[in-house]
Each structure stands twice: as structure tokens, then as C-alpha cells.
Amino acid sequence: MSGLNASLGYFLGIVGVSAVGRVLVTRWRPRWTFLTEFIAAFALSACRLEVDTIAEVGQWAGALGPDVAITMLFISITVHGIIMQGVSGNPSVTLMGLLQKDTGAVAAVLSVAAQLLGAYVALLVTGKYWQMELTDMHMIKNMMMSECSTSLKVPPLQGVFAEALGALTFHMVYLVLKSRSQLLRIPIFAVLLTLIAYAGNNYTSGYVNPSLAYAMTFTCPGHTLLAYSLIYWLGPLIGMTLALFLYLGNIPLLFSRNLLYSKKARFRVPKGKTSEDKTS
């Protein structure tokens, strides 16, 4: 249990720092939304890196089974949703706001850059934490850092399809629940993202988040940077765009009219009297 206790302490530390950072940014720089995106991407990536550590080596270095990894993943996503309400830490969600004309181009570029930087910082911070070798599990993970195992376990075309399918599912649910209360949205998203990750474990790990994928697998050998970029960027963007098109019937940034659904009048207009009705 010492390995689990160390991981719990790590999770609490990441959550505490992220929550304080979110409060400070909201209070002192409320218009700098890209800073909150940096914090969200950092927290999401840092927690997922530790969850993957439990999944990879926890079973034979810390007596932690796969059920513990799934449970920790669900809890981390839930807590992330609570402390980061209104912030995604996901480039595909940010770009969806751009396509809906809810986000400006400059703000979207700054947010995506901040998300990638947050993922990179999370990789550095987590690496320093592993170097402390507090448990056998972290000692082994520290030894594996330079030769981490890639999350991509299928050919590139199949990987793009898997990420696109996961992103389509996530963004469709995101759009449907967008106007609902956080009390409903947070647990549904947590369950959905956990299921997508579990279903995609033998394919791409189902990140459906380009910045998260960068922290998790872009630095691992086995595939080129171009292959990783195509799968973990193109896949989620295809899924997001398709979800937006199916939900709205168009892409607001590109098309002004609805291409899928026709708007029917709510009230029936009474027909005028014919000449026969007037003579009768």
C-alpha cells in the first residue's frame, strides 16, 4: 500500500497546486483564459502520467491491480472536472469553440499553445517526481523513462479511426450536455472518458486530447513524430468536426446555412379563402 499512498499524495499535491493556481488566475487575471488552460492541461497530464504508472508497473511492483488504475483514472477526471469547471485543457474542445464562433482566433491559438506547454511542464514535473524513487513502482518507472512504451499499438490508419471514433463520441455528448448543470455533466464525462480510455487501451489509449497525448506518448520511441501527430491530432479533430456537423447541421465558421436539417415553422399559417368559399 505504500505505492498507493505515495500516488495519492502526488495526486493531492497536483490537485492542490492546480486549484490554488486557478483561483489566483481567476482573481487577478480573469481575462487571461489561456493561463487556466495551461493549469488544466498540466493537471490532466500530470495525473494521467501517474495513473499510467500504476497501470504499467503497479501490478507487479506495488500489488496494485488494473482495477486500481481504472478507479484512480475515474477519480482524477472527476476531481479535474470539479476544480476546472469551464476549462477543458483540450485543444480539440478549444478549436470546436473557434468553429462555433464562440472563441476568437487569437484566444484559440493562445489557449492551444498554453495547453501544449502545460502538458510539457507536467512531463517534466512528473519525471522529477519519479526520480525521487519513493517506492519500487516509481524506481522502475524512473528506469523506464528513456524507453517508455508507446500508447500506439495499431497501424496509423487504424489509430486515426480509433481516436476519431472516441472524439466523435465525447464531443457529441459534450454538445448535448453543454447547457446542462455541472452536477450532471461532470460524472457523465468522467464515466465516458474512463470508458473511452479503457476501450482504446489496446489501440491508442483513447486520449481524444492532443495535448494529453503529447505528454503521454509523443516522447516514446516506436513511431515518428509525424505518425503521432497525424493520429493524435488529426483523429480528434476529425471526430470533433464530425460531431459538430452532425449536431448543428453545419460548421458556423465555414457555412452560414444548415446543410443537414431544415427548419420547420412552429405555427401553421392559415390558408386564405378560395373563391368557392367566398361564393358559398
Side-chain angles (χ1 to χ4, degrees):
M1 293 299 290
S2 61
L4 182 59
N5 291 334
S7 295
L8 288 174
Y10 170 81
F11 286 130
L12 290 175
I14 295 296
V15 169
V17 170
S18 302
V20 171
R22 171 73 190 273
V23 171
L24 291 177
V25 170
T26 304
R27 178 173 297 181
W28 299 109
R29 292 291 186 270
R31 295 184 179 180
W32 291 13
T33 55
F34 66 91
L35 290 180
T36 56
E37 291 291 347
F38 167 85
I39 296 171
F42 165 78
L44 197 62
S45 300
C47 290
R48 187 64 181 270
L49 284 164
E50 183 66 5
V51 168
D52 269 28
T53 300
I54 296 174
E56 287 179 2
V57 298
Q59 187 170 5
W60 47 278
L64 303 176
D67 56 330
V68 177
I70 292 295
T71 302
M72 294 304 298
L73 177 60
F74 172 78
I75 293 174
S76 65
I77 295 174
T78 303
V79 174
H80 181 271
I82 294 173
I83 67 174
M84 291 294 169
Q85 294 184 30
V87 187
S88 65
N90 187 337
S92 61
V93 175
T94 299
L95 293 176
M96 184 171 66
L98 177 63
L99 293 180
Q100 291 179 284
K101 294 201 234 184
D102 294 336
T103 305
V106 175
V109 170
L110 289 175
S111 294
V112 171
Q115 289 158 354
L116 292 173
L117 182 60
Y120 176 72
V121 173
L123 191 59
L124 295 179
V125 170
T126 308
K128 294 295 183 183
Y129 167 69
W130 290 334
Q131 288 177 6
M132 296 171 63
E133 298 185 354
L134 299 178
T135 65
D136 292 341
M137 180 175 65
H138 296 111
M139 179 184 68
I140 295 173
K141 186 62 179 180
N142 183 44
M143 295 170 59
M144 295 169 56
M145 278 188 64
S146 59
E147 294 293 335
C148 57
S149 56
T150 178
S151 300
L152 181 58
K153 302 174 183 176
V154 292
L157 184 60
Q158 190 175 353
V160 171
F161 178 79
E163 283 292 303
L165 181 60
L168 171 63
T169 304
F170 168 72
H171 286 95
M172 185 62 75
V173 175
Y174 179 89
L175 289 167
V176 170
L177 300 179
K178 189 174 182 180
S179 59
R180 300 300 182 92
S181 68
Q182 294 288 349
L183 187 63
L184 177 66
R185 295 172 62 194
I186 291 174
I188 291 179
F189 286 150
V191 171
L192 179 62
L193 289 172
T194 302
L195 289 176
I196 291 175
Y198 180 78
N201 184 56
N202 294 324
Y203 300 93
T204 62
S205 289
Y207 296 127
V208 297
N209 182 335
S211 62
L212 176 61
Y214 170 78
M216 300 301 301
T217 197
F218 271 48
T219 58
C220 297
H223 298 276
T224 63
L225 179 62
L226 178 60
Y228 282 132
S229 299
L230 286 174
I231 292 162
Y232 291 105
W233 275 93
L234 184 61
L237 292 181
I238 290 174
M240 176 271 291
T241 306
L242 184 57
L244 185 62
F245 184 73
L246 292 175
Y247 183 76
L248 296 179
N250 71 332
I251 306 296
L253 186 66
L254 304 177
F255 308 105
S256 58
R257 66 186 184 90
N258 199 307
L259 302 178
L260 286 183
Y261 313 116
S262 60
K263 294 183 179 179
K264 296 182 179 179
R266 292 185 178 182
F267 305 100
R268 298 181 63 184
V269 180
K271 297 181 179 179
K273 292 184 177 181
T274 63
S275 59
E276 295 180 358
D277 294 334
K278 292 180 180 180
T279 56
S280 59

